[in-house]
Short mmCIF file of all heavy atoms in Angstrom, two decimals:
data_model
loop_
_atom_site.label_atom_id
_atom_site.label_comp_id
_atom_site.label_asym_id
_atom_site.label_seq_id
_atom_site.Cartn_x
_atom_site.Cartn_y
_atom_site.Cartn_z
N LEU A 178 36.95 48.62 -67.03
CA LEU A 178 36.86 47.31 -66.36
C LEU A 178 35.49 47.17 -65.67
O LEU A 178 34.88 48.15 -65.26
CB LEU A 178 37.96 47.14 -65.30
CG LEU A 178 39.40 47.02 -65.80
CD1 LEU A 178 40.35 46.81 -64.62
CD2 LEU A 178 39.55 45.87 -66.80
N ASN A 179 35.06 45.92 -65.54
CA ASN A 179 33.82 45.63 -64.83
C ASN A 179 34.19 44.97 -63.50
O ASN A 179 34.87 43.94 -63.48
CB ASN A 179 32.96 44.69 -65.70
CG ASN A 179 31.56 44.51 -65.16
OD1 ASN A 179 31.13 45.23 -64.25
ND2 ASN A 179 30.84 43.55 -65.72
N PHE A 180 33.79 45.57 -62.39
CA PHE A 180 34.15 45.08 -61.06
C PHE A 180 32.94 44.41 -60.40
O PHE A 180 31.82 44.94 -60.47
CB PHE A 180 34.60 46.23 -60.15
CG PHE A 180 35.96 46.77 -60.48
CD1 PHE A 180 36.12 47.68 -61.53
CD2 PHE A 180 37.08 46.39 -59.76
CE1 PHE A 180 37.37 48.18 -61.85
CE2 PHE A 180 38.33 46.89 -60.07
CZ PHE A 180 38.48 47.79 -61.13
N ARG A 181 33.18 43.30 -59.76
CA ARG A 181 32.10 42.70 -58.94
C ARG A 181 31.93 43.59 -57.70
O ARG A 181 32.92 43.92 -57.03
CB ARG A 181 32.48 41.28 -58.51
CG ARG A 181 31.46 40.61 -57.58
CD ARG A 181 31.73 40.86 -56.11
NE ARG A 181 30.56 40.56 -55.29
CZ ARG A 181 30.56 40.60 -53.98
NH1 ARG A 181 31.64 40.92 -53.32
NH2 ARG A 181 29.47 40.32 -53.30
N ILE A 182 30.68 43.96 -57.43
CA ILE A 182 30.45 44.75 -56.22
C ILE A 182 29.33 44.14 -55.38
O ILE A 182 28.51 43.38 -55.88
CB ILE A 182 30.09 46.23 -56.54
CG1 ILE A 182 28.89 46.32 -57.49
CG2 ILE A 182 31.28 47.00 -57.04
CD1 ILE A 182 28.28 47.72 -57.57
N GLN A 183 29.30 44.53 -54.13
CA GLN A 183 28.18 44.20 -53.25
C GLN A 183 27.01 45.11 -53.67
O GLN A 183 27.23 46.10 -54.35
CB GLN A 183 28.56 44.48 -51.81
CG GLN A 183 29.81 43.72 -51.36
CD GLN A 183 30.15 44.07 -49.92
OE1 GLN A 183 29.56 43.54 -49.00
NE2 GLN A 183 31.10 44.97 -49.74
N PRO A 184 25.78 44.76 -53.26
CA PRO A 184 24.63 45.53 -53.76
C PRO A 184 24.49 46.91 -53.13
O PRO A 184 23.53 47.19 -52.41
CB PRO A 184 23.44 44.64 -53.39
CG PRO A 184 23.91 43.89 -52.19
CD PRO A 184 25.38 43.67 -52.35
N SER A 185 25.45 47.77 -53.41
CA SER A 185 25.43 49.10 -52.80
C SER A 185 25.53 50.18 -53.88
O SER A 185 26.48 50.18 -54.67
CB SER A 185 26.62 49.23 -51.84
OG SER A 185 27.02 50.56 -51.71
N PRO A 186 24.56 51.10 -53.92
CA PRO A 186 24.63 52.19 -54.89
C PRO A 186 25.91 53.02 -54.75
O PRO A 186 26.43 53.55 -55.72
CB PRO A 186 23.40 53.03 -54.57
CG PRO A 186 22.46 52.10 -53.88
CD PRO A 186 23.32 51.13 -53.12
N VAL A 187 26.41 53.14 -53.52
CA VAL A 187 27.66 53.90 -53.32
C VAL A 187 28.82 53.23 -54.05
O VAL A 187 29.62 53.88 -54.73
CB VAL A 187 27.99 54.06 -51.82
CG1 VAL A 187 29.38 54.64 -51.62
CG2 VAL A 187 26.95 54.91 -51.11
N LEU A 188 28.88 51.92 -53.94
CA LEU A 188 29.99 51.20 -54.58
C LEU A 188 29.86 51.26 -56.11
O LEU A 188 30.85 51.37 -56.82
CB LEU A 188 30.05 49.75 -54.08
CG LEU A 188 30.27 49.62 -52.57
CD1 LEU A 188 30.29 48.16 -52.14
CD2 LEU A 188 31.56 50.32 -52.13
N GLU A 189 28.61 51.25 -56.56
CA GLU A 189 28.37 51.39 -58.01
C GLU A 189 28.89 52.76 -58.48
O GLU A 189 29.59 52.86 -59.48
CB GLU A 189 26.86 51.27 -58.24
CG GLU A 189 26.48 50.94 -59.64
CD GLU A 189 24.98 50.62 -59.72
OE1 GLU A 189 24.20 51.03 -58.83
OE2 GLU A 189 24.60 49.96 -60.70
N ALA A 190 28.54 53.78 -57.70
CA ALA A 190 28.96 55.15 -58.06
C ALA A 190 30.48 55.30 -57.96
O ALA A 190 31.09 56.00 -58.77
CB ALA A 190 28.27 56.14 -57.13
N GLN A 191 31.06 54.63 -57.00
CA GLN A 191 32.52 54.71 -56.81
C GLN A 191 33.24 54.23 -58.09
O GLN A 191 34.19 54.86 -58.56
CB GLN A 191 32.89 53.84 -55.61
CG GLN A 191 34.36 53.49 -55.47
CD GLN A 191 34.56 52.40 -54.42
OE1 GLN A 191 34.49 52.68 -53.24
NE2 GLN A 191 34.82 51.18 -54.84
N PHE A 192 32.77 53.11 -58.66
CA PHE A 192 33.43 52.61 -59.87
C PHE A 192 33.08 53.45 -61.09
O PHE A 192 33.90 53.62 -61.99
CB PHE A 192 33.15 51.12 -60.07
CG PHE A 192 33.95 50.27 -59.11
CD1 PHE A 192 33.35 49.61 -58.04
CD2 PHE A 192 35.33 50.16 -59.25
CE1 PHE A 192 34.10 48.87 -57.14
CE2 PHE A 192 36.10 49.42 -58.35
CZ PHE A 192 35.47 48.77 -57.30
N ALA A 193 31.86 54.00 -61.10
CA ALA A 193 31.48 54.88 -62.22
C ALA A 193 32.40 56.11 -62.25
O ALA A 193 32.77 56.59 -63.33
CB ALA A 193 30.03 55.29 -62.07
N GLN A 194 32.80 56.57 -61.07
CA GLN A 194 33.73 57.71 -60.99
C GLN A 194 35.03 57.44 -61.73
O GLN A 194 35.71 58.34 -62.16
CB GLN A 194 34.10 57.97 -59.52
CG GLN A 194 33.19 58.82 -58.73
CD GLN A 194 32.91 60.17 -59.35
OE1 GLN A 194 31.76 60.50 -59.56
NE2 GLN A 194 33.95 60.95 -59.66
#
Side-chain angles (χ1 to χ4, degrees):
L178 291 182
N179 189 11
F180 287 81
R181 177 270 164 175
I182 55 166
Q183 303 179 80
S185 153
V187 171
L188 300 179
E189 199 171 21
Q191 165 192 284
F192 285 109
Q194 275 306 124

